[in-house]
């Protein structure tokens, strides 16, 4: 079974400071990894994803994440926090398909989330 | 382009009742997944449908069921509601073709309150 661990349920940074949100995963197969952001009373918005290829992936709103296989990590960073970054962030790993006709990935397993606060 | 749409946005039910939630995927997407997000937690996988067939099921009781229609929209049904079913129910769509099922795009969710 796959799992995701997000260290720190709450992270507080000052505006303009570095944002670092930690994510570690376990997977029995090569993982596909995702970061989603959720603003209050809204659904999930995809920030970025890693599937194959370059291990440093860039996403929207200036966020990026690096896949480190040896550390089973996929930490999310942003060089300079903005007030609008305050939200809940979820790391997720996707599972393999169960069918034989289609080898696409299936269910997402999410971490418990990290709430980012940005102080003025 | 329209994203994933869900209806209703909010719903209040009492214990023992039945509820139906609806989802329309992004145009061209053939797969729909359902997730339950309890307050303060990450979403948990309930079902995935692709081309109208169930392709995955999470660890939820048989009170939960779903189906996908020929136009790829989907319904999630929950019978005999319990207080613990109160949550945000998220629908995600993916898959414009084989190999593109890995990225799921989420709708705004339906917030269900069971009293």
């Amino acid at each position: 079974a796959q799992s995701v661990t997000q260290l720190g349920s709450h992270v507080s940074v000052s505006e303009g400071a570095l944002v670092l949100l930690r994510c570690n995963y376990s997977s029995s197969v090569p993982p596909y990894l995702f970061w989603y952001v959720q603003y209050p009373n809204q659904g999930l918005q995809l920030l970025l994803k890693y599937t194959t290829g370059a291990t440093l992936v860039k996403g929207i709103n200036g966020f990026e994440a690096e896949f480190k296989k040896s550390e089973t990590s996929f930490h999310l960073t942003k060089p300079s926090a903005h007030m609008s970054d305050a939200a809940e962030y979820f790391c997720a790993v996707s599972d393999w398909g169960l069918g034989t006709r289609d080898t696409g990935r299936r269910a997402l397993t999410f971490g418990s989330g990290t709430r980012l606060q940005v102080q003025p | 382009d329209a994203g994933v749409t869900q209806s209703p946005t909010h719903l209040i039910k009492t214990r023992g009742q039945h509820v139906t939630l609806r989802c329309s995927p992004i145009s061209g997407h053939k797969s729909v997944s359902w997730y339950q997000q309890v307050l303060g937690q990450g979403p948990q996988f309930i079902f995935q449908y692709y081309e109208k067939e169930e392709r995955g099921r999470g660890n939820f009781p048989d009170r939960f069921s779903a189906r996908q229609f020929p136009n790829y929209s989907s319904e999630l049904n929950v019978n005999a509601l319990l207080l613990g079913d109160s949550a945000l129910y998220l629908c995600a769509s993916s898959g414009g073709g084989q190999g593109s099922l890995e990225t799921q795009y989420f709708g705004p969710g339906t917030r269900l309150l069971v009293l």
Side-chain angles (χ1 to χ4, degrees):
Chain A
Q2 305 193 113
S3 65
V4 175
T5 301
Q6 291 185 240
L7 294 176
S9 58
H10 290 81
V11 170
S12 182
V13 300
S14 299
E15 191 173 19
L18 171 71
V19 176
L20 170 61
L21 305 182
R22 300 178 185 274
C23 172
N24 289 88
Y25 69 91
S26 68
S27 175
S28 58
V29 297
Y32 283 11
L33 296 158
F34 304 82
W35 276 99
Y36 285 87
V37 61
Q38 186 175 36
Y39 297 99
N41 299 313
Q42 293 187 27
L44 301 176
Q45 181 182 8
L46 179 66
L47 273 178
L48 49 79
K49 65 180 181 181
Y50 168 79
T51 54
T52 58
T55 57
L56 181 63
V57 293
K58 296 185 183 299
I60 62 172
N61 301 339
F63 285 93
E64 62 182 36
E66 186 171 11
F67 169 59
K68 293 186 176 181
K69 183 178 178 180
S70 61
E71 299 177 8
T72 61
S73 69
F74 191 58
H75 302 331
L76 181 71
T77 61
K78 181 175 181 178
S80 177
H82 191 271
M83 295 296 289
S84 61
D85 294 327
E88 187 93 21
Y89 291 80
F90 292 95
C91 181
V93 61
S94 73
D95 200 352
W96 279 110
L98 300 176
T100 56
R101 290 187 293 138
D102 190 327
T103 60
R105 300 265 175 161
R106 294 292 179 268
L108 292 174
T109 298
F110 285 87
S112 55
T114 297
R115 182 166 298 279
L116 176 65
Q117 292 181 314
V118 182
Q119 307 293 339
Chain B
D1 284 344
V4 178
T5 59
Q6 293 186 243
S7 64
T9 56
H10 293 81
L11 204 51
I12 300 175
K13 292 286 188 177
T14 57
R15 283 177 297 175
Q17 285 189 311
H18 163 271
V19 68
T20 297
L21 310 180
R22 296 178 174 83
C23 171
S24 292
I26 292 170
S27 178
H29 282 189
K30 299 179 179 180
S31 179
V32 168
S33 300
W34 288 95
Y35 292 81
Q36 180 195 64
Q37 186 180 19
V38 174
L39 195 63
Q41 298 180 20
Q44 286 201 307
F45 172 69
I46 309 175
F47 286 110
Q48 186 176 63
Y49 278 77
Y50 176 70
E51 289 282 17
K52 301 178 287 294
E53 292 184 8
E54 182 183 303
R55 291 300 187 96
R57 173 186 285 254
N59 188 24
F60 279 80
D62 292 342
R63 300 185 295 109
F64 289 77
S65 64
R67 55 179 176 169
Q68 187 177 32
F69 298 99
N71 67 352
Y72 302 109
S73 67
S74 177
E75 284 183 353
L76 175 70
N77 294 283
V78 186
N79 293 322
L81 285 167
L82 303 174
L83 296 180
D85 296 330
S86 297
L88 180 68
Y89 287 85
L90 295 163
C91 173
S93 84
S94 61
Q98 187 167 348
S100 64
L101 289 174
E102 68 270 6
T103 303
Q104 298 190 17
Y105 298 91
F106 285 81
T110 294
R111 189 164 297 281
L112 172 65
L113 177 61
V114 182
L115 301 177

